[in-house]
Amino acid sequence: MSFTGQDPTALLLAWGGGDQAAFDALLPLVHDELRQIARRQMGNERKGHTLQPTALVNEAYLRLIEVKRMQWQNRAHFFAMAARVMRRILVNAALSRGYQKRGGGAQRVTLDEGLAISGEMPPDLVALDEALTALAATEPRKAQVVELRFFGGLSVEETAVALHVSTVTVMRDWRFAKLWLLREMSGR
């Protein structure tokens, strides 16, 4: 089957249906956006990190290949999943380096748009991941909003489409999640 000139959503749907060739055709179409997500996430990492954005994209690619029969909804859903995979890779790398929950020399990262509104040092990636996991246990949609907006770089509108909610709901969830994460992480 030839996929030349197809849009990413059609390829995602074909891949979700088990067509591996569709994934192979999809990757060149989305590679630049995946690198932007990787650069954004790597920008928050310590200097001299062993992974570079290209390596992070490649590692995410290898993990995404393993996804079987995912019911992809659209491009936003794919990029959200890719961002989540990249986040897991970076968190696992931080954990394997033996960084402790606080202080252990881990590079600090900030959540944009005013999450770090206090004068305190921003959270490290492992602490952020733990707080986000705790949020997901009680407020899964709000945690998804953070993943899509912060890690995936999606706009409010794209996040609303991916989650099938209104933009007002996304903004309300985003405000709540930022404050919740700030409170959770400052208590550690």
Side-chain angles (χ1 to χ4, degrees):
M1 174 180 247
S2 172
F3 293 106
T4 306
Q6 290 211 13
D7 78 287
T9 301
L11 294 172
L12 284 167
L13 294 174
W15 174 37
D19 188 343
Q20 188 60 40
F23 183 72
D24 295 337
L26 172 70
L27 207 53
L29 298 177
V30 297
H31 184 76
D32 288 342
E33 289 176 82
L34 290 174
R35 278 193 45 82
Q36 286 178 337
I37 293 170
R39 275 194 300 275
R40 185 178 313 107
Q41 291 194 24
M42 292 301 301
N44 296 322
E45 287 294 308
R46 65 181 168 77
K47 299 293 184 225
H49 194 283
T50 57
L51 279 175
Q52 296 299 318
T54 300
L56 184 56
V57 169
N58 291 340
E59 181 68 26
Y61 170 78
L62 292 174
R63 293 190 186 183
L64 286 169
I65 277 180
E66 296 173 359
V67 174
K68 304 292 185 209
R69 305 276 182 199
M70 173 65 89
Q71 297 300 315
W72 297 107
Q73 300 167 13
N74 52 36
R75 291 176 71 248
H77 183 222
F78 172 77
F79 288 118
M81 180 62 79
R84 180 180 293 173
V85 166
M86 289 180 199
R87 178 178 137 232
R88 292 288 353 137
I89 292 166
L90 291 172
V91 168
N92 290 342
L95 289 171
S96 71
R97 286 189 307 266
Y99 286 119
Q100 298 170 359
K101 193 165 34 168
R102 276 193 170 290
Q107 174 66 27
R108 305 289 182 167
V109 296
T110 61
L111 287 177
D112 59 354
E113 296 185 32
L115 174 60
I117 55 176
S118 71
E120 298 177 29
M121 291 297 290
D124 69 48
L125 187 59
V126 174
L128 175 58
D129 182 63
E130 290 173 355
L132 194 53
T133 299
L135 177 61
T138 59
E139 300 285 348
R141 189 185 68 221
K142 289 172 177 64
Q144 286 178 311
V145 167
V146 173
E147 286 181 336
L148 293 170
R149 304 247 17 250
F150 179 68
F151 292 105
L154 271 61
S155 68
V156 170
E157 293 76 18
E158 291 169 325
T159 302
V161 169
L163 297 178
H164 306 290
V165 296
S166 71
T167 56
V168 172
T169 298
V170 169
M171 289 304 299
R172 184 175 45 244
D173 287 352
W174 180 239
R175 281 190 301 273
F176 175 90
K178 289 187 298 183
L179 292 172
W180 192 95
L181 290 169
L182 180 62
R183 187 186 72 228
E184 178 76 8
M185 294 173 66
S186 66
R188 290 181 183 252

